[in-house]
Amino acid sequence: MKQLIDAINGFQVLDNDTEDAIKKYFVIEKYKKGDFIIQEGKICRKVYFIKSGTVRRFCIENDLEITKWIYTDNQFITSLSSFFEQKPSFENFQACEDTVLYSLSYSDEQILLEYPLFSMFHIKQLRLYLSKINEFHHLFRVMSAQQKYQFLLDSFPQIILKAKLKYIASLLNVSQETLSRIRASIS
């Protein structure tokens, strides 16, 4: 639980009451490699924090799995529109390896939002994530495949270390062969 508390304190320093509430409402969940954490067509009822492991977010487009992002230790994950609006998800989240998560249900999140410091964390976290998502989509749209790979290597090395090459290739929107050539040219 220390990892989770430390991550939240990185956004907003908490008091003891808020920390105790977080410890009460977040619960540990374990997933085996290949297990779905969130599934397309189902309502996402939880937000998660990755204690250990790797999770791939993907969509099915034209009968192909398209990797949208790969999450690793100490990151929060959820299907944003599904969780916040409580409507069916259009995306899947799948464990790429045995993964341990802390989860918070939608109803328990509503209780925690009554704690002012948790609410401040929530606002700060959302603002940062929305800003980063906006920046990421802009950058990825204008970068070459080699620049995208270099960006991942520099900014998210844990993705390069932990994810399967086919998922990285999908994320970069290149073939595995092209990814191999990019990797060889950078080495």
Side-chain angles (χ1 to χ4, degrees):
M1 189 65 68
K2 182 177 180 338
Q3 279 176 269
L4 172 62
I5 297 294
D6 288 348
I8 294 172
N9 275 321
F11 285 94
Q12 173 64 54
V13 177
L14 304 173
D15 60 16
N16 289 336
D17 288 343
T18 307
E19 278 191 25
D20 290 344
I22 288 167
K23 291 174 184 174
K24 176 181 177 182
Y25 290 110
F26 273 89
V27 297
I28 201 150
E29 294 187 22
K30 297 179 181 180
Y31 291 86
K32 296 280 187 203
K33 178 180 180 179
D35 286 352
F36 283 88
I37 299 159
I38 300 166
Q39 284 188 278
E40 178 182 0
K42 295 184 178 178
I43 296 173
C44 175
R45 302 201 186 276
K46 297 178 183 176
V47 64
Y48 302 89
F49 177 80
I50 302 174
K51 182 179 190 296
S52 63
T54 307
V55 176
R56 176 175 72 114
R57 179 172 60 97
F58 69 96
C59 298
I60 307 295
E61 297 175 7
N62 300 320
D63 296 326
L64 295 173
E65 290 184 4
I66 306 298
T67 300
K68 298 297 185 176
W69 195 249
I70 299 161
Y71 302 88
T72 58
D73 300 358
N74 300 313
Q75 292 184 308
F76 288 92
I77 62 168
T78 196
S79 178
L80 292 173
S81 59
S82 179
F83 181 75
F84 290 132
E85 297 181 42
Q86 289 296 279
K87 66 181 187 181
S89 177
F90 61 84
E91 55 194 350
N92 298 286
F93 288 71
Q94 185 178 36
C96 297
E97 61 184 344
D98 290 351
T99 299
V100 179
L101 307 170
Y102 290 110
S103 70
L104 177 67
S105 71
Y106 182 83
S107 58
D108 287 342
E109 183 203 37
Q110 301 310 301
I111 294 168
L112 282 178
L113 287 172
E114 297 297 319
Y115 288 79
L117 294 176
F118 185 82
S119 190
M120 286 301 299
F121 149 72
H122 199 269
I123 291 166
K124 289 177 180 179
Q125 178 198 36
L126 284 175
R127 288 175 63 100
L128 177 66
Y129 280 18
L130 290 173
S131 171
K132 292 296 183 189
I133 288 169
N134 187 47
E135 180 181 24
F136 169 79
H137 284 295
H138 170 70
L139 289 174
F140 249 49
R141 189 178 56 74
V142 298
M143 287 179 175
S144 69
Q146 185 161 347
Q147 289 170 323
K148 289 177 186 178
Y149 184 80
Q150 189 65 55
F151 173 78
L152 289 178
L153 199 57
D154 294 341
S155 302
F156 301 96
Q158 66 277 20
I159 291 175
I160 303 299
L161 293 172
K162 295 181 87 174
K164 288 184 177 183
L165 290 181
K166 70 179 184 177
Y167 299 152
I168 296 170
S170 176
L171 178 63
L172 300 178
N173 196 26
V174 298
S175 68
Q176 289 187 60
E177 294 78 16
T178 299
L179 177 58
S180 292
R181 284 193 296 276
I182 292 168
R183 289 167 52 103
S185 73
I186 290 176
S187 299

